[in-house]
């Protein structure tokens, strides 16, 4: 990407995305006071470009325009140009992405926004080709025309910018009149059901994203209502994705999305957050169905993350690029000849038959391995193999192809450590460790958590990212909410009360920094953060669940575990504040609605006292950990005094003599204690 001998200001940054642009001829500034001061002094509009280092169309626009001397000359003469890494500054990205969606009806990256020197937007788009094509205006035309308007009609530019900013402020202060009802959950279910692809699984058409929290919502709906269609939609989708080319059948892990409806051709970049959420979805589906394939996929994802996305310190990298050697997907695709050269004729033919490797190809003349139309029983009969023999041969083929693929030029890895995505991976590992009884997963989770606690708190304040020895940018609501999620999952996997203590402390700080005392719910940025043009609240669950959604669910979980009714009241407030937004499109808020089901459905709080290692105690814990039971909250300790600080309501309960004792409570009203642990397990989990 080096097109200039002399670097611009981005050379001093740590973000891999900003560093990719450090040798552009464009005189880029990082987001900061220097750029805005210069724009005001010279009365120039600002061109704000937002992207991330593994974004394919960001690379395309960089190559066509930002490395181009003609474009750079226009930008340098007429604009102050600012580059932002959306993964480091999700607060900035969120505001201006909302602007783009308001103005154009769609969004995406690269995000291209034109601002006044005060940071107020007056025009926005995504990818612009250098010259008009694909039905899109050319970037040179856009730059020239907008600059002329800015100079010739500044009052109109100011009017537009003020109007857009006012609309942003109104949406940030939107509040409902009454709390969301159960009907929202039913509507979300119906919307998902209506958009469900009965052939390949997933929702809607191409491009198709995994959106695992939709599946998590459906599993909870199934558990609550016993609606078989809800579980069918989950299984069809999980099987469709695992069969598709969106899953890397040679090196494991999922790509970000499929460009078609059948999950065949992926957009090849791999994101940490997708893979973390998918570990959770496949693991919960395994709890519900005991389908071994779901366990196998979850374990393979973890193997991939450990091998390719884990730093020497045990923290997790952000993403792996789609492109290598400047070509999208080059690292991942195969021709029949390439397969035959590695595997030989006999094993090669079998592999090509199973994984749809043909001369015509399924992606630009080459092949993305997939199992979409494969029937293993038929293949086994055709090759006169048992299914076990077939599996062994395919395992051998995969290992050989993986070794050969490893010799190719590896795609760029964005190696920054993001707090929120790491917390999500920790939560996923803790859940997998709990369900599959894999201590090494717990060890991975502990190591990553230790990294966050050691490197990503500065003077007690959580930060967004760590790279190359530097923690930077004040943490947003997502960082705190996801970390609380991780702590609660770690507690559930280990039953170590220290994790609940940490979750409580983190929650207190989250409320202090982000809670809106006037209207309720959480702002995206802390009260100590840089003032942007608006202080936003986000509730939409896109590729990732929103910070408010995750916060609401964790507040409820923590309240149920500790008996802290103040947390429940905060959550109740949130289901009122966001009423109107959720009711415009319920299925776009499926993580948030998981919390509503916890508030509305009957939940069970179980308090367990007994010595560690006691047979009865371990039996109940194991039954709980292996069962899909998001509505059962288990507080376990050896003695009531152990929980006095964490859950004062439980500290008053007495064990029955020396025996393991269980209290079963519904909404904090408890039945008589019992030592008949097996009956309790049967009542709760059978």
């Amino acid at each position: 990407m080096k097109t200039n001998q002399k670097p611009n200001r981005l050379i001093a940054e740590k973000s891999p995305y900003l560093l990719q642009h450090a040798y552009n001829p464009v005189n880029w500034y990082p987001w900061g006071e220097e750029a805005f001061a210069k724009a005001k002094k010279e009365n120039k509009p600002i061109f704000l470009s937002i992207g991330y280092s593994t974004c394919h169309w960001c690379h395309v626009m960089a190559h066509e325009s930002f490395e181009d001397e003609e474009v750079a000359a226009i930008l340098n003469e007429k604009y102050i140009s600012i580059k932002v890494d959306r993964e480091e500054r999700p607060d900035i990205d969120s505001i201006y992405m909302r602007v783009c969606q308001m103005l154009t009806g769609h969004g995406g990256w690269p995000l291209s926004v034109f601002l006044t020197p005060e940071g107020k937007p007056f025009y926005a788009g995504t990818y612009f080709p250098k010259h008009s094509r694909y039905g899109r205006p050319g970037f040179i035309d856009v730059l020239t025309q907008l600059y002329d308007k800015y100079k010739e009609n500044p009052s109109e530019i100011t009017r537009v910018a003020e109007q857009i900013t006012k609309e942003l402020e109104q949406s940030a202060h939107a509040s409902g009149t009454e709390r969301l009802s159960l009907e929202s959950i039913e509507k979300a279910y119906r919307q998902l059901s209506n958009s469900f692809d009965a052939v390949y699984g997933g929702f809607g058409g191409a491009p198709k994203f995994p959106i695992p929290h939709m599946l998590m919502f459906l599993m909870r709906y199934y558990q609550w209502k016993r609606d078989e269609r809800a579980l069918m939609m989950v299984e069809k989708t999980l099987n469709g994705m695992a069969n598709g080319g969106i899953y890397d059948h040679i090196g494991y892990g999922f790509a970000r999305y499929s460009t078609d409806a059948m999950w065949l051709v992926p957009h090849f970049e791999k994101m940490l957050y997708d893979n973390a959420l998918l570990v959770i979805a496949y693991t919960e589906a395994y709890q519900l169905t005991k389908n071994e394939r779901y366990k196998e996929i979850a374990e393979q994802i973890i193997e991939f993350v450990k091998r390719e996305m884990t730093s020497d310190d045990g923290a997790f990298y952000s993403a792996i690029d789609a492109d290598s050697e400047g070509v999208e997907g080059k690292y991942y695709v195969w021709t029949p000849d390439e397969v035959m050269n590695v595997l030989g004729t006999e094993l090669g033919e079998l592999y090509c038959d199973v994984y749809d490797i043909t001369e015509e190809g399924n992606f630009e003349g080459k092949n993305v391995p997939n199992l979409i139309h494969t029937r293993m029983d038929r293949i086994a009969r055709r090759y006169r193999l048992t299914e076990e023999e077939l599996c062994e041969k395919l395992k051998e083929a995969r290992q050989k192809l993986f070794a050969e693929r490893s010799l190719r030029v590896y795609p760029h890895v964005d190696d920054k450590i993001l707090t929120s995505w790491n917390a999500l991976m920790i939560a996923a590992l803790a859940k997998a460790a709990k369900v599959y009884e894999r201590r090494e997963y717990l060890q991975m989770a502990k190591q990553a958590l230790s990294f966050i606690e050691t490197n990503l708190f500065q003077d007690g304040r959580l930060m967004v990212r760590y790279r190359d020895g530097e923690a930077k940018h004040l943490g947003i609501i997502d960082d705190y909410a996801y970390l609380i999620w991780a702590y609660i999952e770690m507690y559930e996997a280990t039953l170590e009360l220290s994790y609940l203590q940490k979750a409580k402390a983190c929650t207190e700080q989250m409320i202090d920094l982000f809670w809106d005392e006037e209207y309720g719910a959480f702002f995206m940025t802390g009260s100590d953060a840089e003032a942007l043009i608006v202080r936003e609240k986000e509730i939409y669950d896109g590729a990732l669940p929103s910070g408010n959604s995750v916060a609401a669910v964790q507040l409820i979980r923590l309240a149920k575990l500790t008996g802290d009714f103040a947390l429940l009241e905060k959550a109740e407030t949130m289901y009122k504040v966001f009423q109107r937004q959720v009711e415009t499109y319920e299925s776009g808020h499926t993580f948030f609605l998981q919390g509503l089901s916890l508030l509305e459905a009957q939940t069970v709080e179980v308090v367990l006292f007994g010595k560690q290692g006691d047979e009865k105690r371990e039996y109940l814990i194991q039954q709980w950990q292996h069962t899909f039971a998001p509505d059962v909250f288990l507080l376990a300790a050896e003695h009531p005094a152990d929980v006095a600080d964490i859950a004062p309501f439980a500290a008053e309960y007495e064990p029955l003599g020396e025996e393991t004792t269980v209290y079963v409570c519904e909404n904090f009203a408890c039945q008589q204690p019992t030592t008949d642990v097996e009956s309790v397990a049967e009542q709760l989990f059978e």
Side-chain angles (χ1 to χ4, degrees), residues 157-177:
I157 293 287
T158 301
R159 187 194 66 76
V160 170
E162 292 295 341
Q163 178 62 33
I164 293 169
T165 305
K166 189 176 174 186
E167 285 181 38
L168 283 174
E169 285 168 349
Q170 285 171 345
S171 72
H173 293 141
S175 186
T177 52

Side-chain angles (χ1 to χ4, degrees), residues 196-203 214-216 218-219 222 227-243 263 281-282 284-295 297:
F196 178 66
D197 181 341
V199 180
Y200 298 109
F203 305 94
M214 286 184 174
L215 306 179
M216 293 163 67
L218 287 171
M219 284 186 268
Y222 166 76
D227 185 319
E228 292 296 332
R229 180 169 169 79
L231 186 57
M232 180 278 289
M233 289 191 279
V234 171
E235 292 213 75
K236 186 85 180 171
T237 301
L238 292 176
N239 291 332
M241 290 191 300
N243 289 336
W263 306 110
Y282 277 97
E284 290 187 344
Y286 173 76
Q287 284 181 301
L288 261 180
T289 65
K290 297 297 182 270
N291 182 333
E292 286 291 325
R293 190 183 188 201
Y294 301 151
K295 176 183 178 184
I297 295 289

Side-chain angles (χ1 to χ4, degrees), residues 6 46 50 68 76 91 110 157 208 240-241 263 290 296 347 388 459 487 490 500 556 563 567 575 682:
K6 190 174 175 225
I46 289 167
I50 303 177
D68 181 84
N76 294 343
D91 51 341
I157 293 287
K208 215 181 236 179
M241 290 191 300
W263 306 110
K290 297 297 182 270
E296 182 180 64
L347 185 56
E388 290 75 21
D459 301 322
Y487 280 137
M490 289 296 285
L500 277 188
I556 297 164
L567 300 182
Y575 288 95
E682 196 174 316

Side-chain angles (χ1 to χ4, degrees), residues 330-342:
K330 184 172 183 178
Y331 185 75
Y332 298 101
V333 294
W334 299 82
T335 63
D337 283 351
E338 287 171 333
V339 172
M340 298 294 179
N341 287 341
V342 176

